[in-house]
Amino acid sequence: MNATVLRLYMHENRRFHGMLLYEWLLDQARKLGLHGGSAFRAVAGYGRHGVLHEQHFFELAGELPVVVEFIVSEAEAEHILALLRKESVDLVYARWQAEFSMTESGAAAIKGAI
C-alpha cells in the first residue's frame, strides 16, 4: 500500500498546552482518527545551530531531539500540518512517499511455501 511518512522534529522538553509537545502531537493525531504514530528519542543529534547534544546520565535531561513519525495518507499528513499551522507550532518536518505492508507470520509463510 502507498502512504506518506510524516516525520516531525523537536526537543524532548518542548511543551505545548501544558503537555510535552510530542505527547500533544500523538494525542491530536489520535483524535483526528489516525491509526498510529510513534515518538523516538535520539541518543545524539545537532540542529541548525550546530550544537551537538548527546545522551548522558543526567546532564542533558530534556535537550535531546525527539522525532514523531506517522505513516498516513497524504490527506492525513495535510490535516496534521494544518493543525500545526493553526496552532502556530513551529517545527521542522520531512515527508516522503513510501510503501508499507505487514510481514506474514512464520507459519503462514511456511504453509504457503509448501
Side-chain angles (χ1 to χ4, degrees):
M1 299 169 107
N2 293 322
T4 297
V5 176
L6 179 62
R7 186 177 284 179
L8 304 124
Y9 300 86
M10 66 212 69
H11 284 270
E12 70 178 312
N13 65 350
R14 186 164 173 197
R15 298 186 81 76
F16 189 71
H17 290 306
M19 299 174 70
L20 291 169
L21 181 56
Y22 67 87
E23 291 175 342
W24 180 84
L25 275 167
L26 292 171
D27 185 57
Q28 293 300 307
R30 187 180 47 78
K31 288 177 181 175
L32 286 172
L34 275 64
H35 293 289
S38 299
F40 304 96
R41 182 176 42 196
V43 295
Y46 70 93
R48 67 180 180 268
H49 301 296
V51 177
L52 180 64
H53 300 282
E54 294 183 84
Q55 183 175 354
H56 295 287
F57 193 60
F58 285 113
E59 300 89 45
L60 291 175
E63 292 185 23
L64 291 170
V66 168
V67 171
V68 176
E69 186 169 286
F70 301 99
I71 300 174
V72 293
S73 70
E74 183 62 26
E76 290 169 328
E78 280 301 322
H79 282 285
I80 295 169
L81 294 172
L83 173 67
L84 293 169
R85 288 182 199 106
K86 178 184 169 211
E87 295 284 344
S88 299
V89 178
D90 294 324
L91 289 176
V92 172
Y93 71 91
R95 74 174 159 188
W96 61 91
Q97 296 302 306
E99 181 179 321
F100 77 98
S101 187
M102 293 181 65
T103 58
E104 293 183 52
S105 70
I110 291 170
K111 186 176 182 181
I114 297 175

